[in-house]
Amino acid sequence: AAKRDHRKIGREQELFFFHELSPGSAFFLPRGARIYNTLIEFIRGKYWERGFEEVVSPNMFNIKLWEQSGHWQNYREDMFGLEVEKEKFALKPMNCPGHCLMFGMRDRSYRELPLRFADFGVLHRNEASGALSGLTRVRRFQQDDAHIFCMHDQVKGEIQGALDFLRDVYSTFGFTFALELSTRPDKFLGEVSVWDQAERQLAEALDEFGVAWKMNPGDGAFYGPKIDITIRDALGRAFQCATIQLDFQLPERFQLQVRAPTTADDGEFQRPVIIHRAILGSVERMIAILTENFAGKWPLWLSPRQVMVVPVTGVVYEYAERVRQQLHAAGFYADVDVGADTLNKKIRNAELAQYNFICVVGVQEKDEGSVNVRCRDDVGTKAKGQTIPAGAFIEQLGALKSSKSLDSKLVQ
């Protein structure tokens, strides 16, 4: 387990580090930022497929917003407050109140719903310094956060869409998951009857999703019941990352409304429902889990070190650099080792650095326009790689990256 510790791997692979001058906030180095951005782009691609609209919202709000949302009364200890021109402000610990302002900025029609706002904005939560632990407990983080504004009769369909979304993402990582329905806590906002209705809709959606689930009484958020998702990684360890929460309270507090269909019985306007949902949860925490899950041996599509080009002699340095440039132009993280080490030492260094592929190039490869490929996940190629034309290798690499396979073997 110590070998898999994400803090150790983060240092060794130069992914991220922490500094006492900003406790609980990670510094992501270039290679760590590659993983960070790849995860965000992965979710962004899914948003495009699933009809989410990305928004960008402020980091700092007057506390009047947090008083209106109920967070100031229930969550103040976990927020960073500051004074600006004699007014009290706070850094946002979550995106939902800001999204309510965006929804309420003009009249809305029921025809616009469901409206799915997604936000990768920076969040701050004032975790006690003793609780900070690597990337798993931080003060500054980003989430793949989204809020779905929908009508009551759309809730079940949206919940089912959210469950399908998380199955899609977690299966890509090779994770399994368990589901629990968390119901009304002792400290809650709103009417008991509204809570009962919310819990019933979530239970129906879970039943129809077809995965076994359990009841978790009294563990809901103060503003609504939720579905807690516990994932299990390759080591069988359990983590909670995703969340799907129903919220009947914020629409009331922000007086959100939509113009109702002319056939509606209950007047000209109706309250929408908000569904809060995240799949990765905190991107920082997910990187910690994935680092330990893969033990630093990243699958190609997530890897910050995809290809190392190793020239056999100085005569082919120029060709080696040309191959690296071709790989770079095709969108791969490629490096070339023109250092003074022996060939075997260069290959060993690249293996220890967990490059997915090592391309050895000599005079023969230069003359042929080829590369001799060793694959980290294919033991048969380690002693003597296979020689393939550079263009064909890049094509095969592209297919492997697109497949998001957990195994880095080339598909012939």
Side-chain angles (χ1 to χ4, degrees), residues 360-399:
V360 178
V361 294
V363 175
Q364 183 189 339
E365 285 78 17
K366 179 185 172 213
D367 293 344
E368 294 172 350
S370 64
V371 287
N372 184 272
V373 181
R374 287 162 166 77
C375 169
R376 186 192 68 197
D377 298 346
D378 189 348
V379 179
T381 66
K382 286 201 174 176
K384 177 79 174 82
Q386 52 179 144
T387 302
I388 5 180
F393 171 61
I394 289 170
E395 210 172 289
Q396 290 176 25
L397 215 52

Side-chain angles (χ1 to χ4, degrees), residues 16-297:
F16 58 84
F17 71 97
F18 289 88
H19 197 284
E20 63 190 17
L21 294 179
S22 187
S25 302
F27 290 75
F28 279 90
L29 295 159
R31 287 188 166 91
R34 290 172 181 181
I35 298 167
Y36 205 104
N37 292 335
T38 300
L39 285 172
I40 285 178
E41 287 307 318
F42 173 49
I43 296 295
R44 198 168 260 148
K46 299 291 180 191
Y47 282 161
W48 181 258
E49 292 167 17
R50 292 173 178 271
F52 285 76
E53 300 279 4
E54 203 171 323
V55 298
V56 179
S57 55
N59 271 68
M60 187 172 76
F61 291 91
N62 192 298
I63 65 157
K64 289 170 189 165
L65 176 82
W66 307 111
E67 287 170 345
Q68 187 176 354
S69 69
H71 287 96
W72 196 247
Q73 298 84 309
N74 290 280
Y75 204 79
R76 185 183 335 187
E77 297 76 31
D78 297 310
M79 294 170 69
F80 286 103
L82 57 159
E83 197 170 289
V84 181
E85 296 177 346
K86 298 185 180 173
E87 291 269 346
K88 280 189 180 172
F89 282 72
L91 294 177
K92 66 178 176 185
M94 49 205 47
N95 290 306
C96 29
H99 289 183
C100 287
L101 295 183
M102 293 172 114
F103 184 90
M105 53 84 64
R106 65 162 170 81
D107 279 354
R108 303 273 181 186
S109 161
Y110 75 96
R111 295 180 201 279
E112 293 179 65
L113 305 187
L115 189 57
R116 307 179 186 100
F117 284 163
D119 197 330
F120 292 109
V122 174
L123 305 175
H124 286 88
R125 293 184 187 171
N126 192 7
E127 299 279 358
S129 55
L132 299 175
S133 172
L135 292 177
T136 55
R137 289 293 287 273
V138 288
R139 287 177 175 167
R140 181 265 182 220
F141 60 100
Q142 287 169 250
Q143 289 185 321
D144 59 331
D145 197 15
H147 294 98
I148 301 167
F149 298 83
C150 62
M151 304 300 285
H152 286 255
D153 60 359
Q154 295 169 326
V155 165
K156 201 158 84 173
E158 289 301 310
I159 295 290
Q160 285 169 325
L163 290 168
D164 184 65
F165 194 162
L166 72 90
R167 177 159 54 192
D168 185 8
V169 170
Y170 287 157
S171 63
T172 305
F173 298 137
F175 292 161
T176 55
F177 59 89
L179 303 169
E180 284 187 336
L181 174 53
S182 296
T183 57
R184 187 174 67 246
D186 294 335
K187 195 174 170 183
F188 67 94
L189 300 174
E191 303 295 319
V192 171
S193 60
V194 173
W195 276 81
D196 290 345
Q197 181 194 3
E199 289 166 9
R200 202 160 47 245
Q201 292 193 69
L202 290 181
E204 285 173 13
L206 283 164
D207 284 339
E208 291 180 27
F209 184 54
V211 172
W213 60 278
K214 285 193 267 187
M215 192 71 86
N216 186 12
D219 205 38
F222 68 87
Y223 47 79
K226 58 181 180 168
I227 296 171
D228 286 320
I229 299 99
T230 306
I231 60 171
R232 288 198 179 274
D233 67 5
L235 304 173
R237 299 177 308 171
F239 300 95
Q240 197 189 325
C241 302
T243 187
I244 301 171
Q245 302 183 345
L246 212 54
D247 192 339
F248 289 88
Q249 312 304 327
L250 278 184
E252 291 286 343
R253 286 180 161 259
F254 282 89
Q255 298 292 295
L256 302 182
Q257 56 186 25
V258 293
R259 199 168 290 282
T262 48
T263 53
D265 302 331
D266 49 357
E268 197 182 345
F269 292 97
Q270 290 178 346
R271 285 261 182 270
V273 182
I274 295 175
I275 299 168
H276 306 250
R277 53 102 283 167
I279 307 281
L280 302 178
S282 151
V283 179
E284 282 76 358
R285 188 157 176 266
M286 181 54 76
I287 288 174
I289 293 165
L290 290 170
T291 304
E292 296 183 3
N293 177 64
F294 295 126
K297 294 185 176 183

